[in-house]
Amino acid sequence: MTGMRVLVSGGAGFIGSHLVQALISVGHDVLVYDNLSTGDRRNLIGIYTTPVGSRLQFADGDVRHELQLEQTFQGFRPEVVFHLAAQVDVRESVRDPQQDATVNVLGTINVAEAAVRHGVRRLVLASSAAVYGHTNRTASLDT
């Protein structure tokens, strides 16, 4: 398989950095697009220091900023986008629901629209258990 150009928004987070490592290990060129609000560049250091570390690029960017996102898509020309960037802290979403919606809803729209404009072949939206909140695992379905 020929390597593809893959953009991973939120790629400096825990899940994102593991995805980035897996993508690079199978031969893809990856651009991490992250504003480091919850992610950390140190999550990527182990990749940079390997022989395939040259396949990794980093762009300090925010999915809420359309122009910045547009310039990134123009420069990198991704074929596939994994969109993991999100605000997932429940306390933060209660404290500032507009910020939460701006990141999670408008940010996703910005990524999707940029992907369409630039002919991205696949857009993968990812999430985590955080979307479910606290659940009572002992509850019975028949009550």
PDB file of all heavy atoms in Angstrom, residues 56-92:
ATOM      1  N   LEU A  56       6.244  12.686  10.161  1.00  0.00           N
ATOM      2  CA  LEU A  56       5.346  13.414  11.052  1.00  0.00           C
ATOM      3  C   LEU A  56       5.595  14.915  10.975  1.00  0.00           C
ATOM      4  O   LEU A  56       6.726  15.371  11.069  1.00  0.00           O
ATOM      5  CB  LEU A  56       5.548  12.933  12.499  1.00  0.00           C
ATOM      6  CG  LEU A  56       4.761  13.667  13.582  1.00  0.00           C
ATOM      7  CD1 LEU A  56       3.257  13.541  13.353  1.00  0.00           C
ATOM      8  CD2 LEU A  56       5.150  13.118  14.944  1.00  0.00           C
ATOM      9  N   GLN A  57       4.515  15.663  10.791  1.00  0.00           N
ATOM     10  CA  GLN A  57       4.555  17.120  10.841  1.00  0.00           C
ATOM     11  C   GLN A  57       3.567  17.591  11.901  1.00  0.00           C
ATOM     12  O   GLN A  57       2.614  16.879  12.221  1.00  0.00           O
ATOM     13  CB  GLN A  57       4.157  17.722   9.494  1.00  0.00           C
ATOM     14  CG  GLN A  57       5.078  17.374   8.356  1.00  0.00           C
ATOM     15  CD  GLN A  57       4.562  17.979   7.068  1.00  0.00           C
ATOM     16  OE1 GLN A  57       4.247  19.160   6.998  1.00  0.00           O
ATOM     17  NE2 GLN A  57       4.453  17.146   6.037  1.00  0.00           N
ATOM     18  N   PHE A  58       3.788  18.783  12.408  1.00  0.00           N
ATOM     19  CA  PHE A  58       2.894  19.336  13.422  1.00  0.00           C
ATOM     20  C   PHE A  58       2.490  20.746  13.018  1.00  0.00           C
ATOM     21  O   PHE A  58       3.332  21.552  12.609  1.00  0.00           O
ATOM     22  CB  PHE A  58       3.580  19.381  14.789  1.00  0.00           C
ATOM     23  CG  PHE A  58       2.678  19.918  15.866  1.00  0.00           C
ATOM     24  CD1 PHE A  58       1.805  19.082  16.534  1.00  0.00           C
ATOM     25  CD2 PHE A  58       2.688  21.264  16.182  1.00  0.00           C
ATOM     26  CE1 PHE A  58       0.946  19.578  17.507  1.00  0.00           C
ATOM     27  CE2 PHE A  58       1.838  21.780  17.156  1.00  0.00           C
ATOM     28  CZ  PHE A  58       0.967  20.921  17.820  1.00  0.00           C
ATOM     29  N   ALA A  59       1.201  21.050  13.139  1.00  0.00           N
ATOM     30  CA  ALA A  59       0.696  22.399  12.913  1.00  0.00           C
ATOM     31  C   ALA A  59      -0.093  22.817  14.148  1.00  0.00           C
ATOM     32  O   ALA A  59      -1.034  22.136  14.549  1.00  0.00           O
ATOM     33  CB  ALA A  59      -0.205  22.446  11.686  1.00  0.00           C
ATOM     34  N   ASP A  60       0.336  23.911  14.757  1.00  0.00           N
ATOM     35  CA  ASP A  60      -0.381  24.454  15.908  1.00  0.00           C
ATOM     36  C   ASP A  60      -1.609  25.163  15.353  1.00  0.00           C
ATOM     37  O   ASP A  60      -1.502  26.241  14.766  1.00  0.00           O
ATOM     38  CB  ASP A  60       0.524  25.424  16.666  1.00  0.00           C
ATOM     39  CG  ASP A  60      -0.092  25.920  17.955  1.00  0.00           C
ATOM     40  OD1 ASP A  60      -1.286  25.625  18.218  1.00  0.00           O
ATOM     41  OD2 ASP A  60       0.605  26.606  18.712  1.00  0.00           O
ATOM     42  N   GLY A  61      -2.760  24.524  15.479  1.00  0.00           N
ATOM     43  CA  GLY A  61      -3.957  25.084  14.882  1.00  0.00           C
ATOM     44  C   GLY A  61      -5.212  24.721  15.638  1.00  0.00           C
ATOM     45  O   GLY A  61      -5.238  23.773  16.407  1.00  0.00           O
ATOM     46  N   ASP A  62      -6.251  25.491  15.400  1.00  0.00           N
ATOM     47  CA  ASP A  62      -7.516  25.350  16.099  1.00  0.00           C
ATOM     48  C   ASP A  62      -8.622  25.149  15.062  1.00  0.00           C
ATOM     49  O   ASP A  62      -8.724  25.929  14.110  1.00  0.00           O
ATOM     50  CB  ASP A  62      -7.762  26.621  16.915  1.00  0.00           C
ATOM     51  CG  ASP A  62      -8.891  26.491  17.904  1.00  0.00           C
ATOM     52  OD1 ASP A  62      -9.986  26.033  17.503  1.00  0.00           O
ATOM     53  OD2 ASP A  62      -8.692  26.843  19.076  1.00  0.00           O
ATOM     54  N   VAL A  63      -9.444  24.128  15.244  1.00  0.00           N
ATOM     55  CA  VAL A  63     -10.495  23.827  14.272  1.00  0.00           C
ATOM     56  C   VAL A  63     -11.552  24.929  14.184  1.00  0.00           C
ATOM     57  O   VAL A  63     -12.327  24.968  13.234  1.00  0.00           O
ATOM     58  CB  VAL A  63     -11.171  22.463  14.557  1.00  0.00           C
ATOM     59  CG1 VAL A  63     -10.183  21.321  14.365  1.00  0.00           C
ATOM     60  CG2 VAL A  63     -11.804  22.427  15.939  1.00  0.00           C
ATOM     61  N   ARG A  64     -11.565  25.844  15.133  1.00  0.00           N
ATOM     62  CA  ARG A  64     -12.511  26.964  15.094  1.00  0.00           C
ATOM     63  C   ARG A  64     -12.057  28.056  14.133  1.00  0.00           C
ATOM     64  O   ARG A  64     -12.849  28.913  13.755  1.00  0.00           O
ATOM     65  CB  ARG A  64     -12.696  27.558  16.488  1.00  0.00           C
ATOM     66  CG  ARG A  64     -13.334  26.582  17.463  1.00  0.00           C
ATOM     67  CD  ARG A  64     -13.328  27.119  18.855  1.00  0.00           C
ATOM     68  NE  ARG A  64     -11.934  27.210  19.314  1.00  0.00           N
ATOM     69  CZ  ARG A  64     -11.585  27.661  20.512  1.00  0.00           C
ATOM     70  NH1 ARG A  64     -12.498  28.077  21.359  1.00  0.00           N
ATOM     71  NH2 ARG A  64     -10.316  27.698  20.861  1.00  0.00           N
ATOM     72  N   HIS A  65     -10.797  28.049  13.742  1.00  0.00           N
ATOM     73  CA  HIS A  65     -10.246  29.116  12.902  1.00  0.00           C
ATOM     74  C   HIS A  65     -10.218  28.669  11.441  1.00  0.00           C
ATOM     75  O   HIS A  65      -9.301  27.975  10.997  1.00  0.00           O
ATOM     76  CB  HIS A  65      -8.854  29.498  13.381  1.00  0.00           C
ATOM     77  CG  HIS A  65      -8.856  29.997  14.797  1.00  0.00           C
ATOM     78  ND1 HIS A  65      -7.845  29.715  15.664  1.00  0.00           N
ATOM     79  CD2 HIS A  65      -9.765  30.720  15.488  1.00  0.00           C
ATOM     80  CE1 HIS A  65      -8.119  30.265  16.840  1.00  0.00           C
ATOM     81  NE2 HIS A  65      -9.275  30.870  16.747  1.00  0.00           N
ATOM     82  N   GLU A  66     -11.215  29.092  10.700  1.00  0.00           N
ATOM     83  CA  GLU A  66     -11.398  28.636   9.324  1.00  0.00           C
ATOM     84  C   GLU A  66     -10.211  28.945   8.422  1.00  0.00           C
ATOM     85  O   GLU A  66      -9.795  28.094   7.637  1.00  0.00           O
ATOM     86  CB  GLU A  66     -12.665  29.254   8.726  1.00  0.00           C
ATOM     87  CG  GLU A  66     -13.939  28.769   9.376  1.00  0.00           C
ATOM     88  CD  GLU A  66     -15.147  29.499   8.835  1.00  0.00           C
ATOM     89  OE1 GLU A  66     -15.466  29.303   7.644  1.00  0.00           O
ATOM     90  OE2 GLU A  66     -15.758  30.271   9.612  1.00  0.00           O
ATOM     91  N   LEU A  67      -9.677  30.165   8.497  1.00  0.00           N
ATOM     92  CA  LEU A  67      -8.570  30.552   7.620  1.00  0.00           C
ATOM     93  C   LEU A  67      -7.330  29.712   7.902  1.00  0.00           C
ATOM     94  O   LEU A  67      -6.667  29.225   6.983  1.00  0.00           O
ATOM     95  CB  LEU A  67      -8.249  32.045   7.768  1.00  0.00           C
ATOM     96  CG  LEU A  67      -7.088  32.562   6.911  1.00  0.00           C
ATOM     97  CD1 LEU A  67      -7.359  32.318   5.423  1.00  0.00           C
ATOM     98  CD2 LEU A  67      -6.859  34.041   7.175  1.00  0.00           C
ATOM     99  N   GLN A  68      -7.033  29.522   9.164  1.00  0.00           N
ATOM    100  CA  GLN A  68      -5.882  28.703   9.567  1.00  0.00           C
ATOM    101  C   GLN A  68      -6.048  27.264   9.065  1.00  0.00           C
ATOM    102  O   GLN A  68      -5.118  26.659   8.532  1.00  0.00           O
ATOM    103  CB  GLN A  68      -5.803  28.742  11.091  1.00  0.00           C
ATOM    104  CG  GLN A  68      -4.583  28.134  11.699  1.00  0.00           C
ATOM    105  CD  GLN A  68      -4.658  28.273  13.218  1.00  0.00           C
ATOM    106  OE1 GLN A  68      -5.657  27.892  13.831  1.00  0.00           O
ATOM    107  NE2 GLN A  68      -3.605  28.813  13.817  1.00  0.00           N
ATOM    108  N   LEU A  69      -7.247  26.732   9.210  1.00  0.00           N
ATOM    109  CA  LEU A  69      -7.547  25.377   8.747  1.00  0.00           C
ATOM    110  C   LEU A  69      -7.420  25.293   7.226  1.00  0.00           C
ATOM    111  O   LEU A  69      -6.816  24.354   6.695  1.00  0.00           O
ATOM    112  CB  LEU A  69      -8.957  25.011   9.203  1.00  0.00           C
ATOM    113  CG  LEU A  69      -9.382  23.559   9.197  1.00  0.00           C
ATOM    114  CD1 LEU A  69      -8.470  22.698  10.049  1.00  0.00           C
ATOM    115  CD2 LEU A  69     -10.819  23.437   9.682  1.00  0.00           C
ATOM    116  N   GLU A  70      -7.945  26.293   6.549  1.00  0.00           N
ATOM    117  CA  GLU A  70      -7.870  26.342   5.083  1.00  0.00           C
ATOM    118  C   GLU A  70      -6.417  26.346   4.607  1.00  0.00           C
ATOM    119  O   GLU A  70      -6.047  25.606   3.689  1.00  0.00           O
ATOM    120  CB  GLU A  70      -8.608  27.585   4.576  1.00  0.00           C
ATOM    121  CG  GLU A  70      -8.593  27.755   3.071  1.00  0.00           C
ATOM    122  CD  GLU A  70      -9.388  26.695   2.338  1.00  0.00           C
ATOM    123  OE1 GLU A  70     -10.256  26.037   2.932  1.00  0.00           O
ATOM    124  OE2 GLU A  70      -9.116  26.522   1.131  1.00  0.00           O
ATOM    125  N   GLN A  71      -5.589  27.156   5.231  1.00  0.00           N
ATOM    126  CA  GLN A  71      -4.176  27.220   4.849  1.00  0.00           C
ATOM    127  C   GLN A  71      -3.477  25.880   5.099  1.00  0.00           C
ATOM    128  O   GLN A  71      -2.623  25.463   4.310  1.00  0.00           O
ATOM    129  CB  GLN A  71      -3.479  28.346   5.613  1.00  0.00           C
ATOM    130  CG  GLN A  71      -3.942  29.706   5.170  1.00  0.00           C
ATOM    131  CD  GLN A  71      -3.450  30.827   6.088  1.00  0.00           C
ATOM    132  OE1 GLN A  71      -3.077  30.613   7.233  1.00  0.00           O
ATOM    133  NE2 GLN A  71      -3.470  32.046   5.567  1.00  0.00           N
ATOM    134  N   THR A  72      -3.850  25.225   6.159  1.00  0.00           N
ATOM    135  CA  THR A  72      -3.251  23.920   6.472  1.00  0.00           C
ATOM    136  C   THR A  72      -3.638  22.890   5.424  1.00  0.00           C
ATOM    137  O   THR A  72      -2.800  22.130   4.945  1.00  0.00           O
ATOM    138  CB  THR A  72      -3.680  23.463   7.884  1.00  0.00           C
ATOM    139  OG1 THR A  72      -3.240  24.442   8.832  1.00  0.00           O
ATOM    140  CG2 THR A  72      -3.088  22.118   8.225  1.00  0.00           C
ATOM    141  N   PHE A  73      -4.911  22.853   5.051  1.00  0.00           N
ATOM    142  CA  PHE A  73      -5.365  21.916   4.016  1.00  0.00           C
ATOM    143  C   PHE A  73      -4.684  22.215   2.682  1.00  0.00           C
ATOM    144  O   PHE A  73      -4.274  21.303   1.972  1.00  0.00           O
ATOM    145  CB  PHE A  73      -6.891  21.967   3.862  1.00  0.00           C
ATOM    146  CG  PHE A  73      -7.640  21.030   4.761  1.00  0.00           C
ATOM    147  CD1 PHE A  73      -7.748  21.281   6.117  1.00  0.00           C
ATOM    148  CD2 PHE A  73      -8.246  19.893   4.259  1.00  0.00           C
ATOM    149  CE1 PHE A  73      -8.444  20.424   6.955  1.00  0.00           C
ATOM    150  CE2 PHE A  73      -8.943  19.026   5.077  1.00  0.00           C
ATOM    151  CZ  PHE A  73      -9.044  19.296   6.437  1.00  0.00           C
ATOM    152  N   GLN A  74      -4.559  23.500   2.335  1.00  0.00           N
ATOM    153  CA  GLN A  74      -3.907  23.879   1.081  1.00  0.00           C
ATOM    154  C   GLN A  74      -2.450  23.427   1.059  1.00  0.00           C
ATOM    155  O   GLN A  74      -1.965  22.925   0.051  1.00  0.00           O
ATOM    156  CB  GLN A  74      -3.956  25.390   0.886  1.00  0.00           C
ATOM    157  CG  GLN A  74      -5.252  25.905   0.386  1.00  0.00           C
ATOM    158  CD  GLN A  74      -5.263  27.425   0.262  1.00  0.00           C
ATOM    159  OE1 GLN A  74      -4.344  28.120   0.695  1.00  0.00           O
ATOM    160  NE2 GLN A  74      -6.323  27.951  -0.322  1.00  0.00           N
ATOM    161  N   GLY A  75      -1.761  23.624   2.162  1.00  0.00           N
ATOM    162  CA  GLY A  75      -0.342  23.301   2.211  1.00  0.00           C
ATOM    163  C   GLY A  75      -0.052  21.814   2.274  1.00  0.00           C
ATOM    164  O   GLY A  75       0.866  21.320   1.620  1.00  0.00           O
ATOM    165  N   PHE A  76      -0.836  21.070   3.040  1.00  0.00           N
ATOM    166  CA  PHE A  76      -0.555  19.643   3.245  1.00  0.00           C
ATOM    167  C   PHE A  76      -1.278  18.749   2.237  1.00  0.00           C
ATOM    168  O   PHE A  76      -0.808  17.670   1.909  1.00  0.00           O
ATOM    169  CB  PHE A  76      -0.928  19.243   4.678  1.00  0.00           C
ATOM    170  CG  PHE A  76      -0.557  17.831   5.032  1.00  0.00           C
ATOM    171  CD1 PHE A  76       0.775  17.440   5.103  1.00  0.00           C
ATOM    172  CD2 PHE A  76      -1.543  16.890   5.318  1.00  0.00           C
ATOM    173  CE1 PHE A  76       1.113  16.134   5.436  1.00  0.00           C
ATOM    174  CE2 PHE A  76      -1.206  15.586   5.649  1.00  0.00           C
ATOM    175  CZ  PHE A  76       0.128  15.212   5.713  1.00  0.00           C
ATOM    176  N   ARG A  77      -2.433  19.184   1.750  1.00  0.00           N
ATOM    177  CA  ARG A  77      -3.246  18.414   0.795  1.00  0.00           C
ATOM    178  C   ARG A  77      -3.552  16.994   1.307  1.00  0.00           C
ATOM    179  O   ARG A  77      -3.205  16.011   0.650  1.00  0.00           O
ATOM    180  CB  ARG A  77      -2.580  18.369  -0.571  1.00  0.00           C
ATOM    181  CG  ARG A  77      -2.390  19.728  -1.214  1.00  0.00           C
ATOM    182  CD  ARG A  77      -1.705  19.691  -2.576  1.00  0.00           C
ATOM    183  NE  ARG A  77      -0.878  18.538  -2.875  1.00  0.00           N
ATOM    184  CZ  ARG A  77       0.416  18.405  -2.579  1.00  0.00           C
ATOM    185  NH1 ARG A  77       1.049  19.368  -1.948  1.00  0.00           N
ATOM    186  NH2 ARG A  77       1.092  17.321  -2.906  1.00  0.00           N
ATOM    187  N   PRO A  78      -4.242  16.877   2.439  1.00  0.00           N
ATOM    188  CA  PRO A  78      -4.526  15.536   2.964  1.00  0.00           C
ATOM    189  C   PRO A  78      -5.469  14.756   2.065  1.00  0.00           C
ATOM    190  O   PRO A  78      -6.354  15.325   1.429  1.00  0.00           O
ATOM    191  CB  PRO A  78      -5.173  15.818   4.321  1.00  0.00           C
ATOM    192  CG  PRO A  78      -5.784  17.170   4.173  1.00  0.00           C
ATOM    193  CD  PRO A  78      -4.855  17.925   3.258  1.00  0.00           C
ATOM    194  N   GLU A  79      -5.249  13.457   2.038  1.00  0.00           N
ATOM    195  CA  GLU A  79      -6.155  12.554   1.327  1.00  0.00           C
ATOM    196  C   GLU A  79      -7.193  11.975   2.286  1.00  0.00           C
ATOM    197  O   GLU A  79      -8.290  11.615   1.885  1.00  0.00           O
ATOM    198  CB  GLU A  79      -5.355  11.416   0.700  1.00  0.00           C
ATOM    199  CG  GLU A  79      -4.335  11.906  -0.318  1.00  0.00           C
ATOM    200  CD  GLU A  79      -3.340  10.823  -0.667  1.00  0.00           C
ATOM    201  OE1 GLU A  79      -3.699   9.950  -1.487  1.00  0.00           O
ATOM    202  OE2 GLU A  79      -2.226  10.849  -0.106  1.00  0.00           O
ATOM    203  N   VAL A  80      -6.811  11.871   3.546  1.00  0.00           N
ATOM    204  CA  VAL A  80      -7.673  11.337   4.597  1.00  0.00           C
ATOM    205  C   VAL A  80      -7.553  12.257   5.809  1.00  0.00           C
ATOM    206  O   VAL A  80      -6.468  12.748   6.107  1.00  0.00           O
ATOM    207  CB  VAL A  80      -7.255   9.898   4.990  1.00  0.00           C
ATOM    208  CG1 VAL A  80      -8.076   9.373   6.154  1.00  0.00           C
ATOM    209  CG2 VAL A  80      -7.363   8.963   3.797  1.00  0.00           C
ATOM    210  N   VAL A  81      -8.675  12.476   6.494  1.00  0.00           N
ATOM    211  CA  VAL A  81      -8.684  13.269   7.717  1.00  0.00           C
ATOM    212  C   VAL A  81      -9.346  12.464   8.825  1.00  0.00           C
ATOM    213  O   VAL A  81     -10.439  11.923   8.641  1.00  0.00           O
ATOM    214  CB  VAL A  81      -9.440  14.602   7.520  1.00  0.00           C
ATOM    215  CG1 VAL A  81      -9.590  15.343   8.843  1.00  0.00           C
ATOM    216  CG2 VAL A  81      -8.738  15.472   6.492  1.00  0.00           C
ATOM    217  N   PHE A  82      -8.650  12.376   9.948  1.00  0.00           N
ATOM    218  CA  PHE A  82      -9.228  11.830  11.174  1.00  0.00           C
ATOM    219  C   PHE A  82      -9.490  13.032  12.070  1.00  0.00           C
ATOM    220  O   PHE A  82      -8.558  13.745  12.444  1.00  0.00           O
ATOM    221  CB  PHE A  82      -8.267  10.874  11.877  1.00  0.00           C
ATOM    222  CG  PHE A  82      -8.138   9.541  11.212  1.00  0.00           C
ATOM    223  CD1 PHE A  82      -7.216   9.351  10.190  1.00  0.00           C
ATOM    224  CD2 PHE A  82      -8.925   8.466  11.602  1.00  0.00           C
ATOM    225  CE1 PHE A  82      -7.079   8.123   9.569  1.00  0.00           C
ATOM    226  CE2 PHE A  82      -8.796   7.234  10.987  1.00  0.00           C
ATOM    227  CZ  PHE A  82      -7.874   7.062   9.962  1.00  0.00           C
ATOM    228  N   HIS A  83     -10.756  13.258  12.408  1.00  0.00           N
ATOM    229  CA  HIS A  83     -11.117  14.424  13.221  1.00  0.00           C
ATOM    230  C   HIS A  83     -11.359  13.974  14.660  1.00  0.00           C
ATOM    231  O   HIS A  83     -12.380  13.392  14.976  1.00  0.00           O
ATOM    232  CB  HIS A  83     -12.355  15.098  12.642  1.00  0.00           C
ATOM    233  CG  HIS A  83     -12.828  16.266  13.431  1.00  0.00           C
ATOM    234  ND1 HIS A  83     -11.991  17.276  13.867  1.00  0.00           N
ATOM    235  CD2 HIS A  83     -14.073  16.602  13.878  1.00  0.00           C
ATOM    236  CE1 HIS A  83     -12.700  18.165  14.539  1.00  0.00           C
ATOM    237  NE2 HIS A  83     -13.961  17.765  14.559  1.00  0.00           N
ATOM    238  N   LEU A  84     -10.369  14.247  15.518  1.00  0.00           N
ATOM    239  CA  LEU A  84     -10.459  13.902  16.931  1.00  0.00           C
ATOM    240  C   LEU A  84     -10.501  15.135  17.823  1.00  0.00           C
ATOM    241  O   LEU A  84     -10.718  15.013  19.026  1.00  0.00           O
ATOM    242  CB  LEU A  84      -9.263  13.034  17.347  1.00  0.00           C
ATOM    243  CG  LEU A  84      -9.294  11.566  16.991  1.00  0.00           C
ATOM    244  CD1 LEU A  84      -9.161  11.338  15.503  1.00  0.00           C
ATOM    245  CD2 LEU A  84      -8.184  10.837  17.713  1.00  0.00           C
ATOM    246  N   ALA A  85     -10.268  16.313  17.274  1.00  0.00           N
ATOM    247  CA  ALA A  85     -10.238  17.532  18.078  1.00  0.00           C
ATOM    248  C   ALA A  85     -11.618  17.777  18.679  1.00  0.00           C
ATOM    249  O   ALA A  85     -12.619  17.781  17.974  1.00  0.00           O
ATOM    250  CB  ALA A  85      -9.819  18.720  17.218  1.00  0.00           C
ATOM    251  N   ALA A  86     -11.642  17.972  20.002  1.00  0.00           N
ATOM    252  CA  ALA A  86     -12.917  18.200  20.675  1.00  0.00           C
ATOM    253  C   ALA A  86     -12.681  18.733  22.078  1.00  0.00           C
ATOM    254  O   ALA A  86     -11.610  18.573  22.653  1.00  0.00           O
ATOM    255  CB  ALA A  86     -13.720  16.899  20.758  1.00  0.00           C
ATOM    256  N   GLN A  87     -13.713  19.349  22.601  1.00  0.00           N
ATOM    257  CA  GLN A  87     -13.737  19.746  24.004  1.00  0.00           C
ATOM    258  C   GLN A  87     -14.581  18.680  24.693  1.00  0.00           C
ATOM    259  O   GLN A  87     -15.772  18.564  24.435  1.00  0.00           O
ATOM    260  CB  GLN A  87     -14.369  21.139  24.143  1.00  0.00           C
ATOM    261  CG  GLN A  87     -14.184  21.806  25.493  1.00  0.00           C
ATOM    262  CD  GLN A  87     -14.754  21.033  26.672  1.00  0.00           C
ATOM    263  OE1 GLN A  87     -14.002  20.464  27.452  1.00  0.00           O
ATOM    264  NE2 GLN A  87     -16.046  20.983  26.804  1.00  0.00           N
ATOM    265  N   VAL A  88     -13.973  17.863  25.544  1.00  0.00           N
ATOM    266  CA  VAL A  88     -14.701  16.731  26.127  1.00  0.00           C
ATOM    267  C   VAL A  88     -14.893  16.824  27.642  1.00  0.00           C
ATOM    268  O   VAL A  88     -15.519  15.956  28.229  1.00  0.00           O
ATOM    269  CB  VAL A  88     -14.002  15.384  25.800  1.00  0.00           C
ATOM    270  CG1 VAL A  88     -14.009  15.130  24.305  1.00  0.00           C
ATOM    271  CG2 VAL A  88     -12.601  15.339  26.362  1.00  0.00           C
ATOM    272  N   ASP A  89     -14.395  17.873  28.248  1.00  0.00           N
ATOM    273  CA  ASP A  89     -14.524  18.013  29.696  1.00  0.00           C
ATOM    274  C   ASP A  89     -15.958  18.433  30.040  1.00  0.00           C
ATOM    275  O   ASP A  89     -16.396  19.527  29.681  1.00  0.00           O
ATOM    276  CB  ASP A  89     -13.522  19.055  30.202  1.00  0.00           C
ATOM    277  CG  ASP A  89     -13.492  19.163  31.711  1.00  0.00           C
ATOM    278  OD1 ASP A  89     -14.569  19.350  32.322  1.00  0.00           O
ATOM    279  OD2 ASP A  89     -12.392  19.074  32.278  1.00  0.00           O
ATOM    280  N   VAL A  90     -16.675  17.569  30.742  1.00  0.00           N
ATOM    281  CA  VAL A  90     -18.077  17.832  31.066  1.00  0.00           C
ATOM    282  C   VAL A  90     -18.214  19.090  31.926  1.00  0.00           C
ATOM    283  O   VAL A  90     -19.098  19.914  31.684  1.00  0.00           O
ATOM    284  CB  VAL A  90     -18.710  16.608  31.767  1.00  0.00           C
ATOM    285  CG1 VAL A  90     -20.115  16.919  32.244  1.00  0.00           C
ATOM    286  CG2 VAL A  90     -18.715  15.415  30.832  1.00  0.00           C
ATOM    287  N   ARG A  91     -17.354  19.252  32.905  1.00  0.00           N
ATOM    288  CA  ARG A  91     -17.423  20.453  33.756  1.00  0.00           C
ATOM    289  C   ARG A  91     -17.262  21.718  32.925  1.00  0.00           C
ATOM    290  O   ARG A  91     -17.953  22.708  33.130  1.00  0.00           O
ATOM    291  CB  ARG A  91     -16.357  20.397  34.856  1.00  0.00           C
ATOM    292  CG  ARG A  91     -16.612  19.320  35.894  1.00  0.00           C
ATOM    293  CD  ARG A  91     -15.430  19.231  36.807  1.00  0.00           C
ATOM    294  NE  ARG A  91     -14.244  19.000  35.965  1.00  0.00           N
ATOM    295  CZ  ARG A  91     -13.287  18.147  36.242  1.00  0.00           C
ATOM    296  NH1 ARG A  91     -13.314  17.451  37.332  1.00  0.00           N
ATOM    297  NH2 ARG A  91     -12.267  17.987  35.418  1.00  0.00           N
ATOM    298  N   GLU A  92     -16.337  21.674  31.984  1.00  0.00           N
ATOM    299  CA  GLU A  92     -16.103  22.831  31.108  1.00  0.00           C
ATOM    300  C   GLU A  92     -17.319  23.090  30.224  1.00  0.00           C
ATOM    301  O   GLU A  92     -17.682  24.232  29.971  1.00  0.00           O
ATOM    302  CB  GLU A  92     -14.856  22.594  30.258  1.00  0.00           C
ATOM    303  CG  GLU A  92     -14.401  23.781  29.470  1.00  0.00           C
ATOM    304  CD  GLU A  92     -13.953  24.958  30.315  1.00  0.00           C
ATOM    305  OE1 GLU A  92     -13.544  24.773  31.478  1.00  0.00           O
ATOM    306  OE2 GLU A  92     -14.044  26.097  29.818  1.00  0.00           O
TER     307      GLU A  92
END
